[in-house]
Amino acid sequence: MTKDPSQTSGEDQEAEGDDSSSAASDPSTSSTSATGNRPELAGKLLLIDTAIGFVEQAFLVVVLFSLIGVGTYQFIASHLFDINSTWPFEALRYLVFFTAMGGAALSAQKGRMISMDFLARKLPAKKQVILRIGIAGFVMFACFLLFKGGMYVRNSAGTEYEVFKPGTALLALPVGAALIGVHYMLQALVDAVYLAAGQLPPREEGPQAH
């Protein structure tokens, strides 16, 4: 006895509906979907993290344009007008330093600084989140040491300068270390909030360990 094609089609649709509903109830699947049930505290922490990132982006834009401007001036002045000032070299040195620290802080905000790809792929989703929190703790400790070292370097700086006072310019090291640590702390807290709520954070939230 052959089945009615319309009946077969209806059964297939019911099976597909069951599959989709079971997929929606799977935590590992829902963790990568839209964040409709995001914990309120996690949203606030991510908002703070994103706001700091916007400030860092604006800072980097200013520094990069300054770097290009000073470099262009130095090239034109020395090659076309035989003006060999020393201040552009100092400015370029510190601007490159600012770019490095600002870029590192922004990379931390984007979650692209430290990852454990070779290990995370072998772990279940929940353990990947726990691994991210552990990495964040390690990074925060390293940033604390870098902050202390940066403050020592800053306090030991000389007093001679043409553009940037060394004690002020070298603040970029401890400030950059602090910002990196803050980003990892906020993103680890987001992961912890999701776990406490019995959920898995979406992959785009928190430091990536993919």
Side-chain angles (χ1 to χ4, degrees), residues 74-150:
Q74 171 62 21
F75 179 83
I76 294 175
S78 62
H79 288 78
L80 299 182
F81 301 100
D82 199 25
I83 300 174
N84 295 304
S85 304
T86 57
W87 69 264
F89 295 101
E90 178 189 308
L92 290 170
R93 182 170 65 251
Y94 284 122
L95 287 171
V96 170
F97 182 51
F98 297 159
T99 302
M101 295 308 299
L106 186 59
S107 177
Q109 191 270 327
K110 300 295 184 183
R112 297 169 182 169
M113 177 167 280
I114 295 179
S115 63
M116 299 286 286
D117 293 0
F118 67 94
L119 179 60
R121 289 197 189 100
K122 303 180 184 298
L123 297 176
K126 185 174 181 179
K127 290 185 178 180
Q128 289 185 29
V129 179
I130 296 173
L131 175 63
R132 287 206 302 258
I133 296 174
I135 292 174
F138 170 77
V139 173
M140 285 187 285
F141 177 70
C143 286
F144 172 72
L145 298 179
L146 183 59
F147 178 86
K148 289 185 64 177

Side-chain angles (χ1 to χ4, degrees), residues 5-208:
S6 61
Q7 181 180 359
T8 304
S9 175
E11 291 176 354
D12 292 341
Q13 290 177 356
E14 289 179 3
E16 290 176 0
D18 294 340
D19 292 341
S20 61
S21 61
S22 62
S25 62
D26 185 1
S28 62
T29 303
S30 61
S31 67
T32 59
S33 62
T35 58
N37 296 323
R38 172 193 290 171
E40 183 179 356
L41 179 57
K44 292 179 179 179
L45 292 170
L46 284 170
L47 185 62
I48 295 172
D49 190 50
T50 302
I52 297 173
F54 280 136
V55 175
E56 292 165 352
Q57 288 182 30
F59 172 77
L60 277 174
V61 169
V62 173
V63 170
L64 286 173
F65 272 102
S66 300
L67 185 62
I68 294 171
V70 174
T72 302
Y73 166 81
Q74 171 62 21
F75 179 83
I76 294 175
S78 62
H79 288 78
L80 299 182
F81 301 100
D82 199 25
I83 300 174
N84 295 304
S85 304
T86 57
W87 69 264
F89 295 101
E90 178 189 308
L92 290 170
R93 182 170 65 251
Y94 284 122
L95 287 171
V96 170
F97 182 51
F98 297 159
T99 302
M101 295 308 299
L106 186 59
S107 177
Q109 191 270 327
K110 300 295 184 183
R112 297 169 182 169
M113 177 167 280
I114 295 179
S115 63
M116 299 286 286
D117 293 0
F118 67 94
L119 179 60
R121 289 197 189 100
K122 303 180 184 298
L123 297 176
K126 185 174 181 179
K127 290 185 178 180
Q128 289 185 29
V129 179
I130 296 173
L131 175 63
R132 287 206 302 258
I133 296 174
I135 292 174
F138 170 77
V139 173
M140 285 187 285
F141 177 70
C143 286
F144 172 72
L145 298 179
L146 183 59
F147 178 86
K148 289 185 64 177
M151 289 302 298
Y152 175 80
V153 171
R154 184 254 180 185
N155 294 332
S156 304
T159 56
E160 296 182 2
Y161 68 96
E162 292 184 83
V163 181
F164 296 107
K165 187 176 180 180
T168 302
L170 290 174
L171 276 174
L173 183 57
V175 170
L179 287 172
I180 294 170
V182 167
H183 284 308
Y184 271 89
M185 178 188 69
L186 290 171
Q187 294 168 4
L189 287 174
V190 169
D191 284 339
V193 168
Y194 270 101
L195 289 180
Q199 303 178 38
L200 292 176
R203 291 184 180 181
E204 65 270 15
E205 298 182 5
Q208 297 177 355

